[in-house]
Amino acid sequence: MSKTYRIAVLPGDGTGPEVIREGLKVVQAAATRFGFKLDAHTYDFGGERYIRTGEVLPDSAVGELRKFDAIYLGAIGHPDVKPGILEKGILLRLRFELDQYINLRPVKLFPGVDCPLKAKGPAEIDYVVVRENTGGLYTGIGGISQKGTPNEVAIQSMVYNRFQVDRCLRYAFETARKRNRRKTLALCGKTNVLTHVFDLWERAFHEMGGRDYPDVKREYFHVDATCMWMVKNPEWFDVIVTENMFGDIITDLGAITQGGMGIAAGGNINPDPGGVSMFEPIGGSAPKYTGKNVINPLAAICAGAMMLDALGEAKAAKAIEDAVADVTAHKVKNLGAGKMGFTTSEVGDLVAVRVAG
Ligand code: IPM
Ligand code: MN
């Protein structure tokens, strides 16, 4: 009997449905070739549903999503909905409630892709960022008082406990070991200013590394310097681990060095036994390109590959990555929406045909 994976599909807003359609096409081609099945259930959470019903995420949704093997997400964010409502109510809520405490974001330049960094190619740009995904400023701890008066005060705190830091670091060290490249883990922080939070991160980093991962080299960079080196010497990096907000910011920088949002994928991962993880292109809903069949689906396709890898289908994941590399090397060089020289569905077909073998 072949294995069947139950996948919750959340196409979401804007161009989300278009890219997820191509992603599913490719993932399905991999399933056929490698002998497993996908049982996909689609949910309509997103801006349109919110505008229609006033409901962001029904109460039953989180419990239902918990029963799937993985979640495949398109994009969240709608031009007619105030920023924050959908992002917090769907994306961040799922990350928190499903305890997806890792956001894994590969920064990989595929062959043939136009890179904005001078004299850097696929050999120089190939690392992963492990972003802590459920703590820090994103917890929303804080508040406003005396709103609207000259004395107004707003506070939003960067909150971390040892448990959160340790579990994120452990995943990062394991990732460096598993990648088995330069076996180097770089902690990205701000120990010179955020002397409380990054004192904790730095101590935990060296304690765990020295004790459990003597084979993994440890490095430290301030977040501002990290940005500089990601541009100047990206080849220094193998695995970067960082807190939530810093990770959000540096992975947009990372994305542009790999050709932009058209190809940047990520996984919101709960690595614990029974944990449900969620995979997504990191680029957002791109409202102005919606429905035009011009958006680049490669990021969603790469997110699909990450999903299969997490499900234990490493060969299928690798086949998708290889197919994407072949397509960027020989067909789609400009990854920008409307500039690919192919439609969204044509790019999906190019990859799917190669995956099918
Ligand atoms: C991301 C996004 C989200 C984040 C937004 C949409 C809430 O920017 O996944 O990087 O800040 O985490
Ligand atoms: Mn972001």
Side-chain angles (χ1 to χ4, degrees):
M1 259 278 288
S2 71
K3 250 189 164 170
T4 300
Y5 300 104
R6 294 189 69 237
I7 309 294
V9 181
L10 279 58
D13 298 319
T15 51
E18 292 166 68
V19 297
I20 285 296
R21 185 189 64 219
E22 300 313 311
L24 282 173
K25 188 192 277 179
V26 170
V27 166
Q28 186 54 57
T32 307
R33 166 147 166 221
F34 292 92
F36 58 89
K37 289 201 170 68
L38 298 169
D39 179 12
H41 294 254
T42 303
Y43 292 86
D44 68 350
F45 310 137
E48 296 295 334
R49 179 188 169 122
Y50 173 67
I51 290 165
R52 211 171 57 239
T53 68
E55 190 174 54
V56 182
L57 205 60
D59 285 336
S60 57
V62 180
E64 243 179 85
L65 292 175
R66 244 182 246 290
K67 297 189 196 125
F68 285 88
D69 294 313
I71 303 169
Y72 193 32
L73 173 78
I76 298 294
H78 194 289
D80 301 333
V81 180
K82 196 173 152 222
I85 293 178
L86 302 169
E87 293 86 340
K88 278 191 174 170
I90 301 176
L91 185 62
L92 298 184
R93 181 160 170 219
L94 290 177
R95 287 178 182 170
F96 275 80
E97 290 211 24
L98 298 174
D99 203 17
Q100 295 163 339
Y101 59 88
I102 298 296
N103 197 325
L104 183 66
R105 296 190 161 179
V107 180
K108 183 181 164 77
L109 180 65
F110 280 91
V113 173
D114 213 13
C115 171
L117 304 184
K118 198 167 77 184
K120 302 293 177 190
E124 283 79 30
I125 303 178
D126 190 357
Y127 55 95
V128 301
V129 177
V130 174
R131 163 186 175 190
E132 200 289 326
N133 209 33
T134 54
L137 291 160
Y138 280 71
T139 57
I141 287 182
I144 292 195
S145 79
Q146 294 169 277
K147 193 166 179 170
T149 75
N151 294 326
E152 179 166 350
V153 179
I155 304 179
Q156 201 128 22
S157 305
M158 188 181 279
V159 182
Y160 273 105
N161 64 37
R162 179 78 192 229
F163 167 75
Q164 288 174 304
V165 171
D166 273 342
R167 66 181 184 172
C168 177
L169 289 171
R170 185 160 303 286
Y171 185 88
F173 276 115
E174 291 291 335
T175 302
R177 198 177 258 175
K178 200 170 136 207
R179 270 171 67 86
N180 199 19
R181 298 205 180 178
R182 297 186 44 240
K183 285 249 206 123
T184 302
L185 179 61
L187 173 64
C188 162
K190 192 73 187 175
T191 53
N192 53 350
V193 175
L194 304 178
T195 49
H196 307 310
V197 165
F198 285 102
D199 180 70
L200 169 58
W201 274 87
E202 199 180 32
R203 268 184 295 116
F205 177 61
H206 290 300
E207 273 174 36
M208 183 180 289
R211 188 184 60 231
D212 299 338
Y213 301 93
D215 52 320
V216 177
K217 188 170 162 229
R218 275 166 276 143
E219 289 176 341
Y220 172 82
F221 299 95
H222 294 321
V223 61
D224 44 356
T226 306
C227 292
M228 186 170 73
W229 300 126
M230 282 168 68
V231 171
K232 177 94 180 10
N233 295 106
E235 65 279 6
W236 284 1
F237 296 116
D238 178 11
V239 181
I240 299 177
V241 62
T242 192
E243 72 85 37
N244 204 346
M245 178 58 86
F246 290 178
D248 177 47
I249 297 168
I250 71 169
T251 53
D252 266 30
L253 174 58
I256 204 69
T257 67
Q258 65 177 126
M261 289 304 182
I263 193 139
N268 301 278
I269 295 179
N270 177 337
D272 298 341
V276 181
S277 301
M278 175 166 76
F279 299 84
E280 52 168 343
I282 75 175
S285 57
K288 74 175 185 191
Y289 298 115
T290 302
K292 300 200 164 115
N293 205 19
V294 296
I295 194 82
N296 188 339
L298 290 175
I301 290 170
C302 289
M306 291 180 77
M307 175 170 77
L308 294 185
D309 193 55
L311 289 170
E313 298 292 342
K315 278 191 194 149
K318 174 82 169 48
I320 296 177
E321 265 212 20
D322 290 347
V324 170
D326 193 62
V327 166
T328 59
H330 301 111
K331 300 276 181 187
V332 184
K333 289 167 191 296
N334 190 324
L335 303 184
K339 297 182 187 135
M340 298 186 292
F342 297 88
T343 65
T344 304
S345 31
E346 282 168 350
V347 176
D349 289 340
L350 286 169
V351 180
V353 161
R354 285 161 173 77
V355 168

